[in-house]
Amino acid sequence: MKAHDGMYIDGAWQPAAGKDTITVVNPADDQVIAHVPAGTAADVDAAVRAARAAFPAWAATPPAERAARLGALRDVLVARKDEIAETVTAELGAPLEFSQLVHAGVPIAVAGSYAELAASYSFEGKIGNSTVLLEPVGVVGAITPWNYPLHQIVAKVAPALAAGCTVVLKPAEDTPLVAQLFAEAVHEAGLPAGVFNLVTGLGPVAGQALAEHDGVDLVSFTGSTAVGRRIGAIAGAAVKPVALELGGKSANVILPSADLAKAVNVGVANVMSNSGQTCSAWTRMLVHADQYDEAVQLAATAAGKYGDRIGPVVNAKQQARVRGYIEQGVAEGARLVAGGPEAPREQGCFVRPTVFADVTPEMTIAQEEIFGPVLALLKYEDEDDALRIANGTVYGLAGAVWAGDKAEAVAFARRMDTGQVDINGGRFNPLAPFGGYKQSGVGRELGPHGLGEYLQTKSLQF
């Protein structure tokens, strides 16, 4: 798609307030593919004002009509699925097949789920002599990351619109083109002017201006825990609610009764997916001492098959960061069994699919989110030891448990301090609540729980 040189505000493409631009680079070949405007506080203010003006009418729109508008948006995204995939591949570097299946397919499914939820959700109920109303919170400031750029947009915008809120979106500066495509889809679907607004820009400028704006009633952010803390502090000073989906260091616990080969192979695939740039990736594989050596060999073999199958990481800074973590793992005594810090190609921001053995829980690579194709294998002695290791980080976003008996796996999963656990390779569910414990965030996305984040409660007594 051709990049727009303005902001989508109040139902039209408006000139940017400033002249600065952001350069968009394809990380697979280091080629510049577009320039988009770097938004300022003035752009954010114009977008928030448009959202505030549109809010009363949109909030008063019957849920069935809001559902119909979201259904039309879903249909436009379906019609433009190939363009979505090609755009994400160009600016994120993801293989085209993966972009078609995940980067385009998942947000289309999520948009469809909210079209259905908007029509069926109970916005009013009775408790004793009270009528309880669930009302839209107001103007939402949505700040989204680059790793799943359209999915993260839809996972915030669709439930906010279903709830009756209006939205100002500030997408990641590395992947603004698919956000512009989404704005085109909103326009084509016929949503009223001002209900959705887009400001491209840098986080410390446009993102901070959006979080600080007095006209924003709720901030929804997905990204690093460090930035999440900053946004939480800004919102807290204004007594403004936030929804924060932050980092992860998820454990993949393989119990002795599990099918070891299957658990290891699926676990490696999970970590390598999207070049390791997934907050919920199972980047720590926990294996019983008696099966550890076999698991290491299986993981090294599996990782070796991904050398030409994964794309680059998002940019040169991220490439250097991931390679730095690999070097630190070696320096702290972990054993490389696949991959390494050396760049696999002269061009592009690629990182070798990497597997570490002999990792101990206190090592940096077992504690910090790397956000690249790097897997750490840890050894445990019994289930209590496995649980201690699994729960032994500041994060609690996701995880996995494998066992020969489902009940055994579920019993272990119930003890994990994390927001979502896949049992024996359970499938992704776009209606299940997604979000974390501890420093992995506040609130939930997807399904009815995600819709609830954008509602506030009023009770009427009779």
Side-chain angles (χ1 to χ4, degrees):
M1 64 169 287
K2 182 180 179 181
H4 292 272
D5 59 3
M7 311 298 184
Y8 185 76
I9 297 175
D10 202 19
W13 292 97
Q14 311 277 4
K19 296 183 178 180
D20 290 343
T21 61
I22 295 169
T23 300
V24 185
V25 177
N26 185 335
D29 58 15
D30 302 324
Q31 298 300 304
V32 174
I33 57 175
H35 299 276
V36 300
T40 65
D43 295 302
V44 170
D45 183 64
V48 173
R49 288 178 182 275
R52 289 231 68 86
F55 172 67
W58 183 247
T61 300
E65 186 176 337
R66 296 200 298 261
R69 299 280 190 172
L70 285 169
L73 175 59
R74 183 266 323 277
D75 293 344
V76 175
L77 295 176
V78 170
R80 301 185 70 170
K81 182 177 181 180
D82 289 344
E83 186 181 1
I84 291 168
E86 291 165 2
T87 300
V88 175
T89 290
E91 59 185 349
L92 184 63
L96 183 57
E97 183 179 0
F98 186 79
S99 289
Q100 291 169 332
L101 180 66
V102 176
H103 288 296
V106 171
I108 286 171
V110 172
S113 75
Y114 279 114
E116 295 177 3
L117 270 171
S120 62
Y121 196 86
S122 296
F123 291 95
E124 183 174 322
K126 295 281 291 183
I127 299 178
N129 65 309
S130 300
T131 295
V132 179
L133 309 178
L134 299 177
E135 300 180 337
V137 71
V139 174
V140 173
I143 304 173
T144 56
W146 44 259
N147 59 325
Y148 290 92
L150 184 59
H151 167 62
Q152 297 289 356
I153 290 170
V154 172
K156 297 182 187 305
V157 174
L161 297 184
C165 297
T166 56
V167 180
V168 178
L169 169 68
K170 203 299 285 184
E173 50 262 37
D174 289 291
T175 53
L177 300 182
V178 77
Q180 291 189 341
L181 193 158
F182 180 78
E184 292 178 356
V186 165
H187 192 85
E188 188 176 342
L191 270 78
V195 167
F196 170 81
N197 307 273
L198 169 68
V199 176
T200 55
L202 301 176
V205 180
Q208 181 157 332
L210 185 58
E212 291 178 338
H213 202 291
D214 290 341
V216 172
D217 298 296
L218 179 147
V219 180
S220 180
F221 169 78
T222 296
S224 72
T225 298
V227 177
R229 290 193 193 102
R230 173 62 180 157
I231 289 174
I234 292 170
V239 196
K240 182 183 303 184
V242 294
L244 304 174
E245 197 265 281
L246 308 175
K249 195 67 184 176
S250 301
N252 180 16
V253 182
I254 305 175
L255 298 177
S257 63
D259 181 333
L260 183 64
K262 180 180 180 180
V264 171
N265 284 316
V266 173
V268 171
N270 174 277
V271 173
M272 301 306 160
S273 178
N274 206 39
S275 303
Q277 300 169 127
T278 304
C279 54
S280 57
W282 311 331
T283 51
R284 296 180 297 145
M285 183 179 290
L286 279 57
V287 185
H288 190 275
D290 293 343
Q291 299 172 315
Y292 187 78
D293 291 342
E294 183 182 357
V296 168
Q297 186 175 21
L298 287 167
T301 300
K305 300 175 182 178
Y306 285 89
D308 296 325
R309 293 167 57 185
I310 63 173
V313 294
V314 69
N315 55 36
K317 180 180 179 181
Q318 183 66 13
Q319 180 191 38
R321 180 178 185 272
V322 175
R323 292 170 64 185
Y325 271 112
I326 296 172
E327 291 171 349
Q328 189 166 5
V330 173
E332 292 182 7
R335 175 167 55 97
L336 271 174
V337 296
E342 303 84 6
R345 308 184 192 183
E346 293 184 3
Q347 190 178 44
C349 303
F350 291 87
V351 175
R352 295 178 184 274
T354 297
V355 176
F356 279 105
D358 301 340
V359 179
T360 56
E362 70 278 2
M363 289 182 178
T364 302
I365 59 171
Q367 289 292 322
E368 297 185 11
E369 185 176 46
I370 298 172
F371 229 58
V374 181
L375 171 65
L377 272 85
L378 295 94
K379 184 187 303 183
Y380 68 85
E381 299 299 329
D382 55 34
E383 284 198 15
D384 287 342
D385 190 34
L387 186 70
R388 176 186 62 82
I389 296 169
N391 289 342
T393 75
V394 298
Y395 298 111
L397 185 56
V401 183
W402 300 79
D405 178 58
K406 186 175 75 171
E408 180 187 6
V410 169
F412 189 94
R414 287 180 180 274
R415 300 167 68 196
M416 294 175 72
D417 297 334
T418 190
Q420 191 171 70
V421 185
D422 292 344
I423 305 298
N424 289 337
R427 294 181 294 109
F428 172 73
N429 179 0
L431 293 176
F434 179 79
Y437 287 17
K438 299 187 285 188
Q439 293 187 27
S440 285
V442 177
R444 292 295 181 268
E445 292 188 329
L446 303 180
H449 291 80
L451 177 55
E453 291 292 328
Y454 300 97
L455 296 168
Q456 54 190 347
T457 306
K458 177 187 291 181
S459 61
L460 309 178
Q461 280 63 249
F462 296 94

